[in-house]
Amino acid sequence: MPGTDPMSAYPQLKFLTSANDLRQLPPDVGAEVAVAGRSNAGKSSAINAMTQRKGLARTSKTPGATRLINFFEIEPGRRLVDLPGYGFAAVSGSMREHWGTLIEGYFRRRRALCGVIVVMDVRHPLKDHDVDMLRLAQSQDVPVHVLLTKADKLSRSAGASACAAVRRATGEGVTVQLFSAHAGTGVVEARSALERLLAGATEKETPAGPADPAGEGKPGVGG
Ligand SMILES: Nc1nc2c(ncn2[C@@H]2O[C@H](COP(=O)(O)OP(=O)(O)OP(=O)(O)O)[C@@H](O)[C@H]2O)c(=O)[nH]1
Ligand SMILES: [Mg+2]
């Protein structure tokens, strides 16, 4: 069965394209949910767990494995986007700057972007860059779902109190859950959050369909 996997949550799922530059993004139509987080937080592992595809997004013990924006097509018109991790100290300053500009530009102008899943290690949540990411999403009216991952590394009660603390800090409008790609914790919940975010897009979309081929920013977003 080349190309499709009947055991996957999304049998039509496939890698679409990579972008290192805002000009390389695939057409800005349909709906997409981006997965963001610090380097090594577990973004690629979370994507693989949510989609039940082990080798889809490349995972690594070495921080900075994902250096490009990787687009996966769940099915035509619905995409999952693996963003490069932020805050990876070992890369040069200019490289870090490039990532920041890339991610910020993507958030500002991407109309198809209808949600972001922010992945944080449950043991080290809400670092500066995470807070920046939450603010960026908020400033662009992009709904956020937080995965507190590597929950297998904490006891059940420590995980629960970390989750409660993050909920308190992020406040209303942000949903937060415990997750473990390794133990399978919270995978079903994460997938329904993904579905919810993708479904939210239909309300925002104009009936006329794709517009703004030049990608010159979202309507109604500014100042
Ligand atoms: N214990 C545990 N380890 C995990 C979990 N998820 C990911 N990891 C490990 O964390 C490391 C990083 O995982 P990735 O999924 O590659 O992280 P990433 O956020 O995509 O990293 P970059 O692409 O470098 O930004 C790997 O060694 C994974 O095996 C989890 O739920 N539990
Ligand atoms: Mg990755």
Side-chain angles (χ1 to χ4, degrees):
M1 288 152 280
T4 57
D5 178 357
M7 295 306 284
S8 167
Y10 302 106
Q12 299 187 66
L13 184 73
K14 61 174 190 193
F15 171 75
L16 197 62
T17 187
S18 293
N20 183 38
D21 194 283
L22 291 174
R23 285 166 300 192
Q24 295 169 350
L25 303 178
D28 194 0
V29 295
E32 67 195 29
V33 167
V35 180
R38 292 207 304 154
S39 208
N40 217 38
K43 298 175 293 298
S44 299
S45 302
I47 287 177
N48 292 344
M50 280 189 289
T51 58
Q52 292 174 304
R53 281 286 194 92
K54 275 209 172 86
L56 184 75
R58 193 175 147 229
T59 64
S60 172
K61 283 191 169 37
T62 316
T66 313
R67 291 174 181 242
L68 304 164
I69 302 184
N70 288 314
F71 290 82
F72 301 97
E73 186 177 83
I74 293 173
E75 59 193 35
R78 305 207 317 155
R79 292 175 300 277
L80 197 50
V81 183
D82 193 4
L83 293 177
Y86 39 79
F88 175 41
V91 296
S92 72
S94 65
M95 190 65 158
R96 269 209 306 272
E97 216 165 273
H98 171 71
W99 288 357
T101 311
L102 184 63
I103 293 182
E104 199 168 322
Y106 168 75
F107 266 79
R108 289 196 190 286
R109 66 170 69 175
R110 191 74 171 164
R111 291 165 151 235
L113 181 63
C114 54
V116 58
I117 294 177
V118 177
V119 177
M120 298 188 260
D121 187 321
V122 68
R123 298 164 298 174
H124 318 285
L126 294 173
K127 299 287 187 195
D128 288 354
H129 289 299
D130 297 316
V131 175
D132 290 345
M133 174 52 69
L134 295 171
R135 289 207 180 111
L136 177 61
Q138 205 169 22
S139 75
Q140 300 301 311
D141 282 326
V142 178
V144 176
H145 182 71
V146 172
L147 296 185
L148 295 175
T149 193
K150 311 196 187 184
D152 54 286
K153 298 274 195 185
L154 286 186
S155 70
R156 199 179 273 254
S157 63
S161 60
C163 191
V166 172
R167 267 194 198 121
R168 274 196 301 276
T170 51
E172 272 177 48
V174 175
T175 47
V176 184
Q177 68 157 107
L178 286 173
F179 187 86
S180 166
H182 286 195
T185 313
V187 171
V188 172
E189 190 182 347
R191 202 178 294 136
S192 44
L194 168 65
E195 292 292 333
R196 175 173 54 76
L197 293 172
L198 284 169
T202 53
E203 290 155 35
K204 244 175 43 176
E205 254 170 50
T206 50
D212 188 35
E216 295 300 339
K218 299 179 190 185
V221 174

